[in-house]
């Protein structure tokens, strides 16, 4: 069933005579299933696990005879590569029935499961195509674009949405922003079972992906329509006419154009709108092709020592993601259409150009690890220097959190303030590049540190729409700023707060309890220090997710009244924690406790809480325990 209208027409043929008859309705659209029976949640068919997939393969291929022992290991591998999709398993089983039952033949299939599924006419891809064919035109473009990402790649939702918007697939309405429309489109694709939801946090989807079989269909359809071309191998060879005719190109290989068979004497004009690079190590693409129509350029996997001058000619860019070692950036005001700017900077003192304030369409500015904003714009303050569309600004130094800056970005929803580097292993940047001395890292005298933080926090009041704030402070031996004195000035509209390297005393937690809308609190890398955290009468009235990662906390005292709405508790690298407060199990909304690379006593207390809740017939509480110490994000101090 593909539409609610079709159900309305058919349901007239099945009047309810109250004789106990039943109608089974199948649909790939969750809204159709819900519409047909709004009083009951539809039964969702999950993907098969590895054992279930293997059982189905055996049933379809061998029947009751059973699988020979010499084929079982290979057969299980084949079933696993179908990634739980029953349709793919049935197609592969049919293909195996035409082959000799020998390990060599089955190994051939195991090495090319995707190709086997694609080659079967009228089978898997044709059936999956039905879901695609019923999509409205804008959703078809959004879906095909996802094929640009590598196989099994978990796509960050924020990045996917920024790319869709830059491509012009979606437009804002009077009632909804373009970001809100993009969220609905992704939810629609997931509801149609075309896209897989992967990681969630606090009820919000963070990453998604395509099933391998669905991605194969996506790439075939995108190539047929000249919508997208993916280069999977370094030795791919395309003619000059093919390269310049491609509307969107995604490089899933380590080199670009390294072995192409032409070297034009004149620069060749391309009609390409998008270039996305994954795992790129070298490129000469800009030396002989003119991409003046380019809207999207994402090549953060390649490091440019200096800002490429060729990029300055791409005046139609709407999305630019780049990794560079430049300290000073060239003027960027010619990028009048730019909506998203993502920079990975490998310089200690990088500063954005002054004309960044003239980019009226900029909506998303994200820099890793951080960057300095240009000097004060007070003397040229006018409407053209106010970035009304800017929603995300990360990461800037707290010395740049001035009245002038925040008055020029009045509609910020997310802000990142970063004074050091958060290392996540494996570190790709040489340690020596970021291990500064305290004098180089912190140019201000100790007397001015507290005043700077005070101004920074108080100036947040100029951001009435701010919902998410991240502060990454300083590593020892730098004197710790007296941030604790100014926490009471945090804006009450905050919904998400992340603190790292702030070394606050646990007594200051009472200042955070007063934030009435706070739903997510992440405490990383000694955000709070001290062996003991005792809650007073105040609690977090709206908090749903609490993360404590890399902490010296030993004793934690709290009750269920302090976290009445908590749903998800995460403890990572809490090596000294004696136990999780036993009363946490009595929180009626608590669904998950995660304990990763922490003390054995903390893990044991989590299991005790779960067992006690099970004794009260509460089987909904899930406890996850991991002790993979090689994955610990240890932060070294010089």
């Amino acid at each position: 069933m593909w539409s609610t209208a079709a159900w309305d027409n058919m349901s007239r043929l099945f009047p309810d005579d109250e004789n106990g008859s039943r109608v089974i309705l199948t649909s790939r659209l969750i809204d159709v299933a819900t519409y047909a029976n709004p009083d009951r949640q539809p039964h969702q068919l999950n993907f098969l696990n590895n054992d279930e997939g293997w059982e189905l393969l055996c049933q379809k291929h061998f029947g009751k005879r059973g699988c020979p022992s010499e084929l079982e290991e290979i057969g299980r591998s084949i079933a696993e590569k179908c990634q739980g999709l029953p349709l793919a398993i049935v197609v592969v089983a049919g293909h195996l029935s035409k082959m000799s039952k020998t390990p060599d033949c089955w190994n051939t299939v195991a090495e090319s499961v995707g190709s086997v599924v694609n080659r079967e006419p009228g089978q898997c891809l044709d059936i999956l195509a039905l879901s695609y064919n019923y999509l409205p035109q804008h959703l078809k473009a959004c879906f095909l674009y996802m094929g640009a990402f590598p196989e099994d790649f978990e796509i960050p939702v924020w990045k996917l949405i920024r790319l869709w918007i830059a491509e012009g697939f979606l437009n804002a309405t009077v009632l909804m922003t373009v970001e809100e429309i993009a969220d609905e489109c992704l939810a629609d694709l997931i509801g149609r079972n075309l896209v897989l939801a992967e990681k969630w946090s606090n009820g919000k989807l963070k990453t998604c992906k395509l099933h391998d079989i669905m991605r194969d269909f996506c790439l075939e359809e995108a190539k047929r329509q000249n919508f997208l071309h993916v280069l999977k191998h370094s030795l791919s060879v395309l003619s000059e006419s093919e390269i310049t005719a491609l509307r969107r190109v995604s490089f899933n290989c380590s080199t670009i154009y390294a072995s192409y068979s032409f070297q034009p004497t004149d620069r060749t004009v391309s009609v390409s709108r998008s270039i996305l690079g994954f795992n790129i190590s070298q490129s000469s693409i800009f030396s002989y092709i003119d991409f003046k129509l380019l809207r999207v350029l994402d090549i953060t996997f390649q490091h440019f020592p200096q800002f490429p001058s060729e990029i300055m000619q791409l005046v139609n860019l709407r999305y630019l993601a780049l990794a560079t070692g430049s300290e000073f950036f060239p003027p960027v005001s010619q990028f009048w259409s730019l909506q998203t700017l993502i920079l990975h900077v490998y310089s200690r003192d990088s500063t954005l150009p002054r004309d960044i304030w003239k980019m009226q369409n900029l909506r998303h500015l994200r820099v890793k690890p951080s960057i300095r904003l240009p000097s004060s714009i007070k003397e040229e303050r006018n409407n053209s220097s106010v970035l009304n569309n800017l929603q995300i600004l990360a990461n800037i130094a707290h010395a740049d959190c001035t009245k002038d800056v925040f008055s020029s970005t009045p509609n910020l929803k997310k802000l990142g303030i970063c004074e050091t580097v958060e290392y996540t292993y494996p570190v790709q940047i040489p340690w020596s590049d970021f291990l500064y001395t305290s004098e180089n890292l912190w140019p201000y005298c100790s007397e001015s540190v507290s005043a700077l933080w005070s101004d920074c926090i108080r100036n947040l009041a100029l951001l009435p729409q701010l919902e998410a704030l991240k502060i990454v402070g300083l590593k020892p031996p730098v004197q710790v700023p007296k941030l604790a004195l100014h926490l009471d000035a945090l804006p009450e509209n905050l919904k998400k707060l992340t603190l790292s390297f702030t070394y606050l005393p646990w007594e200051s937690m009472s200042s955070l309890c007063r934030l009435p809308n706070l739903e997510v609190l992440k405490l990383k890398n000694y955000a709070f220090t001290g062996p003991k955290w005792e809650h007073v009468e105040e609690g977090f009235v709206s908090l749903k997710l609490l993360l404590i990662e890399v902490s010296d906390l030993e004793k934690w005292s709290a009750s269920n009244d302090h976290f009445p709405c908590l749903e998800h508790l995460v403890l990572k690298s809490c090596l000294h924690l004696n136990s999780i407060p036993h009363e946490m199990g009595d929180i009626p909304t608590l669904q998950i406790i995660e304990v990763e690379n922490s003390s054995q006593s903390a893990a044991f207390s989590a299991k005790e809480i779960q067992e006690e809740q099970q004794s009260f017939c509460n089987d909904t509480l899930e406890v996850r325990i991991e002790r993979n110490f090689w994955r610990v994000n240890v932060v070294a101090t010089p």
Side-chain angles (χ1 to χ4, degrees):
M1 190 71 66
W2 293 101
S3 69
T4 56
W7 170 250
D8 286 337
N9 293 331
M10 182 169 287
S11 60
R12 298 189 185 101
L13 304 175
F14 301 107
D16 187 1
D17 295 331
E18 298 183 357
N19 59 2
S21 60
R22 295 290 184 268
V23 176
I24 296 178
L25 170 68
T26 62
S27 177
R28 296 182 190 171
L29 310 182
I30 189 68
D31 57 338
V32 172
T34 304
Y35 178 83
N37 187 356
D39 298 327
R40 180 176 297 179
Q41 283 293 322
H43 175 64
Q44 300 247 20
L45 292 176
N46 298 319
F47 286 99
L48 304 179
N49 60 35
N50 291 341
D51 289 335
E52 291 169 338
W54 169 237
E55 183 180 346
L56 178 60
L57 181 66
C58 287
Q59 178 184 341
K60 290 296 181 181
H61 184 61
F62 296 105
K64 298 180 179 180
R65 292 170 295 167
C67 175
S69 57
E70 66 271 15
L71 296 178
E72 181 171 349
E73 183 177 351
I74 307 171
R76 286 185 175 274
S77 174
I78 293 173
E80 184 176 345
K81 290 181 179 180
C82 292
Q83 296 182 307
L85 187 65
L87 183 59
I89 295 172
V90 171
V91 170
V92 171
H95 181 79
L96 289 173
S97 66
K98 304 172 187 176
M99 304 179 65
S100 300
K101 295 178 176 59
T102 64
D104 288 341
C105 289
W106 279 43
N107 271 321
T108 303
V109 174
E111 293 170 359
S112 57
V113 170
S115 299
V116 169
V117 174
N118 295 342
R119 285 198 304 265
E120 292 293 324
Q123 294 286 327
C124 194
L125 293 191
D126 288 351
I127 296 173
L128 295 177
L130 293 173
S131 296
Y132 171 79
N133 293 334
Y134 276 91
L135 290 176
Q137 200 60 38
H138 69 283
L139 280 185
K140 286 183 178 179
C142 291
F143 171 69
L144 293 181
Y145 200 84
M146 297 181 70
F149 294 90
E151 187 174 320
D152 295 325
F153 188 88
E154 287 196 16
I155 307 170
V157 168
W158 69 264
K159 182 171 186 175
L160 180 64
I161 286 175
R162 300 312 314 169
L163 289 168
W164 283 350
I165 294 172
E167 290 284 356
F169 298 153
L170 309 169
N171 295 304
T173 64
V174 176
L175 300 177
M176 298 179 67
T177 67
V178 67
E179 286 83 7
E180 291 171 337
I181 292 174
D183 281 331
E184 284 196 354
C185 289
L186 181 57
D188 196 351
L189 290 172
I190 293 172
R192 294 170 182 264
N193 295 298
L194 289 169
V195 176
L196 304 178
E198 285 295 301
K199 292 181 180 177
W200 295 80
S201 177
N202 191 35
K204 294 182 179 180
L205 184 63
K206 295 299 181 181
T207 64
C208 59
K209 64 184 292 189
L210 292 178
H211 189 283
D212 286 354
I213 306 299
M214 191 61 75
R215 182 174 180 270
D216 289 337
F217 166 79
C218 183
L219 294 181
E220 288 294 326
E221 184 66 19
K223 185 177 180 180
R224 186 184 67 82
Q225 296 185 22
N226 193 27
F227 180 90
L228 170 71
H229 189 93
V230 176
L231 288 182
K232 302 179 182 179
H233 308 289
S234 300
L235 298 179
S236 299
V237 177
L238 296 176
S239 67
E240 177 181 348
S241 60
E242 286 178 314
I243 293 175
T244 56
L246 299 178
R247 294 183 63 84
R248 298 174 184 88
V249 188
S250 176
F251 298 101
N252 293 181
C253 51
S254 59
T255 56
I256 300 178
Y257 297 147
S259 58
Y260 286 154
S261 57
F262 76 100
Q263 290 292 333
T265 54
D266 299 323
R267 288 176 64 84
T268 305
V269 178
S270 171
V271 299
S272 293
R273 298 295 194 272
S274 305
I275 294 179
L276 295 94
F278 299 90
N279 192 30
I280 300 172
S281 60
Q282 63 181 16
S283 171
S284 58
I285 185 172
F286 294 107
S287 63
Y288 53 82
I289 296 183
D290 187 350
F291 290 97
K292 62 175 60 177
L293 301 178
L294 207 63
R295 290 182 177 183
V296 171
L297 179 61
D298 189 335
I299 47 176
T300 52
F301 279 84
Q302 182 182 3
H303 175 230
F304 293 91
Q306 299 297 325
F307 196 94
S309 59
E310 296 89 349
I311 292 179
M312 303 307 299
Q313 311 303 318
L314 309 179
V315 295
N316 292 307
L317 281 178
R318 298 181 183 179
Y319 180 107
L320 174 60
L322 184 71
T324 178
S326 295
E327 289 189 11
F328 300 100
F329 291 84
V332 292
S333 57
Q334 70 266 36
F335 298 129
W336 60 276
S337 297
L338 198 65
Q339 301 169 350
T340 300
L341 177 59
I342 301 171
L343 296 172
H344 295 185
V345 294
Y346 300 147
S347 172
R348 301 177 181 180
D349 303 304
S350 293
T351 304
L352 285 171
R354 190 177 182 82
D355 60 352
I356 191 76
W357 301 109
K358 298 179 181 179
M359 302 177 67
Q360 295 298 302
N361 291 309
L362 194 62
R363 304 175 72 88
H364 187 120
L365 175 57
R366 184 186 296 255
V367 183
K368 292 183 178 182
S370 66
I371 202 165
R372 291 300 306 270
L373 293 177
S375 57
S376 173
I377 57 173
K378 186 185 300 183
E379 63 273 15
E380 54 184 57
R381 192 73 171 279
N382 52 58
N383 289 336
S384 65
S385 64
V386 177
L387 304 183
N388 286 310
N389 290 313
L390 190 63
Q391 298 181 3
I392 298 177
L393 177 59
N395 294 297
I396 61 173
H398 85 296
D400 291 326
C401 298
T402 63
K403 289 183 179 180
D404 287 337
V405 168
F406 289 162
S407 297
S408 299
T409 56
N411 296 316
L412 275 186
K413 293 183 177 180
K414 296 182 180 181
L415 173 65
I417 305 169
C418 182
E419 296 294 341
T420 189
V421 179
E422 284 189 303
Y423 291 108
T424 300
Y425 289 91
V427 178
Q428 297 178 347
I429 304 170
W431 279 98
S432 58
D433 286 1
F434 282 124
L435 295 184
Y436 323 149
T437 64
S438 60
E439 181 180 359
N440 291 332
L441 180 63
W442 190 253
Y444 309 103
C445 61
S446 58
E447 290 79 9
S448 64
V449 169
S450 183
L452 282 170
W453 274 113
S454 175
D455 291 343
C456 174
I457 301 299
R458 283 190 290 106
N459 291 337
L460 294 176
L462 298 172
L463 305 175
Q465 298 188 48
L466 189 67
E467 297 180 351
L469 174 65
K470 181 176 182 178
I471 297 177
V472 181
L474 300 168
K475 294 192 301 183
V478 181
Q479 180 176 348
V480 178
K482 298 180 180 179
L483 179 60
L485 301 177
H486 315 296
L487 291 180
D488 287 330
L490 287 172
E492 292 188 352
N493 46 299
L494 281 180
K495 293 183 178 180
K496 180 179 180 180
L497 177 63
T498 302
L499 300 174
S500 178
F501 291 125
T502 47
Y503 307 99
L504 296 164
W506 288 107
E507 292 77 14
S508 299
M509 190 64 74
S510 58
S511 298
L512 303 186
C513 291
R514 53 165 286 278
L515 298 174
N517 299 307
L518 191 65
E519 297 179 355
V520 178
L521 178 59
K522 296 184 178 182
L523 309 176
K524 300 181 177 182
N525 303 318
Y526 304 104
F528 283 77
T529 59
K532 193 174 183 179
W533 178 16
E534 283 189 348
H535 275 275
V536 290
E537 293 183 1
E538 295 177 284
F540 292 92
V541 295
S542 301
L543 197 66
K544 297 180 181 179
L545 186 149
L546 174 62
L547 165 71
I548 305 176
E549 181 176 1
V550 186
S551 172
D552 59 355
L553 180 63
E554 297 178 10
K555 185 178 180 181
W556 179 15
S557 300
S559 72
N560 56 317
D561 294 332
H562 294 127
F563 302 95
C565 299
L566 192 67
E567 299 174 359
H568 195 172
L569 173 63
V570 184
L571 303 173
K572 295 184 179 182
S573 302
C574 296
L575 301 177
H576 307 287
L577 184 61
N578 293 332
S579 64
I580 300 171
H582 204 69
E583 294 80 0
M584 300 288 279
D586 297 328
I587 301 174
T589 55
L590 189 62
Q591 300 172 11
I592 302 173
I593 298 177
E594 289 187 54
V595 182
E596 181 178 325
N597 299 326
S598 297
S599 65
Q600 288 186 346
S601 56
F604 182 74
S605 65
K607 294 299 292 183
E608 278 191 329
I609 291 173
Q610 183 185 38
E611 290 170 0
E612 182 182 54
Q613 291 303 305
Q614 289 174 343
S615 69
F616 297 149
C617 299
N618 176 14
D619 297 322
T620 61
L621 179 60
E622 181 182 355
V623 172
R624 304 171 185 170
I625 297 175
E626 291 187 36
R627 292 183 58 79
N628 300 321
F629 280 93
W630 62 273
R631 293 178 54 192
V632 178
N633 295 338
V634 180
V635 179
T637 55

